[in-house]
Amino acid sequence: MKIWGRNNSTNVRKVLWCAAELGLTYEHIPAGGAFGQVQSPAYLALNPNGLVPCLEDEGLVLWESNAIVRYLARQYGAAPFAPGDPRAFAVADKWMDWTSLSFAGPFRDLFWNLVRVAPDQRDDAAMERGAHQCAELMRRADAALQGSPYLSGPDFGIGDIPLGCIAYAWFSLPIERPRLAALEAWYERIAARPAFRTGVMTGIS
C-alpha cells in the first residue's frame, strides 16, 4: 500500500488518520506543495487531477480523500468504526460529506489568508467571512454532539474523521471562537486517540 500526499494537508490527514486507526502498514510518499511530484507524468497517470491524496493498494488506485477513507474502512475495518448496518454507515457518511461540501470552502478562506498568505496580501473580508461561517457551522456540529458523543453515533467512526482534521487546525488558529461545550468535549476525546496524534497533529502550516 502507498499513500501519496503531504502531511500538512487536511485531506491527506484524513487518510493517514484512518490508516493509523486501522493499524495498516503502508509507504507514505510526500507529494504536493513543496514536495512537488503531482504534475509529473507518473503521478498524473495515477491521479489526473494532480491533487493529493492518492492511494495505491494491490492494483487499486483511488483519489478523493473521503472515498479513500470509506474504502479503507470497508476493506480493513469493522464495526463500529465501519458500520455494517447501512443506516449507521449513512449517518457517518452524512457528516463526511457535510464537512467536505459545506465546511471546507469557508475554512479555506480563513486558513489560507491567516496562515499561508503574507499579512499585506490577505483578503481580510474573505478571512472574516470564513471565520463567521465556520463558527456557525461548528454550532451545527455542536448541536448534534449534544445528543451523541461522536458524529458517527455512540462510537467513534469514519464520520468523525473529516471534521476532526479541520477541528485540529480550527482550534489551533489564533482566532476568537464561540464556546461550544459539546464540540470541545468531542475534540478532547478524538485528540486523545493515538492515531489522531500521529496522523493529524503534525503542525499548522
Side-chain angles (χ1 to χ4, degrees):
M1 181 183 294
K2 296 180 181 179
I3 298 174
W4 297 75
R6 52 188 171 83
N7 67 0
N8 65 341
S9 159
T10 294
N11 287 331
V12 175
R13 285 172 173 160
K14 296 178 196 176
V15 178
L16 297 177
W17 182 10
C18 181
E21 290 285 353
L22 295 170
L24 301 179
T25 299
Y26 59 90
E27 178 185 359
H28 177 214
I29 304 171
F35 297 101
Q37 298 200 64
V38 294
Q39 294 302 314
S40 69
Y43 186 81
L44 290 171
L46 297 172
N47 183 352
N49 302 293
L51 300 171
V52 292
C54 185
L55 174 80
E56 294 180 82
D57 185 28
E58 298 183 352
L60 174 69
V61 177
L62 277 181
W63 27 269
E64 296 299 336
S65 58
N66 286 357
I68 296 172
V69 168
R70 292 180 186 114
Y71 164 73
L72 292 177
R74 287 183 171 123
Q75 182 73 2
Y76 299 106
F81 181 70
D85 173 44
R87 289 176 177 263
F89 200 101
V91 170
D93 211 4
K94 170 187 70 178
W95 285 106
M96 293 184 73
D97 284 351
W98 175 83
T99 301
S100 297
L101 298 174
S102 298
F103 207 115
F107 184 73
R108 188 179 301 111
D109 289 338
L110 169 63
F111 182 85
W112 191 267
N113 282 287
L114 190 59
V115 176
R116 294 187 177 167
V117 174
D120 61 343
Q121 297 178 352
R122 288 174 180 166
D123 184 337
D124 290 333
M127 185 168 61
E128 292 175 8
R129 182 173 61 249
H132 173 75
Q133 292 175 336
C134 286
E136 291 304 307
L137 290 166
M138 283 300 195
R139 286 189 175 93
R140 297 180 194 175
D142 180 78
L145 290 163
Q146 290 174 28
S148 175
Y150 295 99
L151 296 173
S152 299
D155 300 289
F156 171 79
I158 59 170
D160 299 278
I161 285 181
L163 189 62
C165 292
I166 287 181
Y168 166 62
W170 193 69
F171 279 113
S172 301
L173 294 176
I175 59 173
E176 291 187 11
R177 287 174 289 273
R179 289 303 309 272
L180 302 170
L183 181 80
E184 292 166 13
W186 165 80
Y187 182 71
E188 288 180 5
R189 287 191 289 274
I190 63 172
R193 303 181 71 86
F196 183 86
R197 294 183 176 276
T198 59
V200 179
M201 301 180 79
T202 57
I204 302 300
S205 61

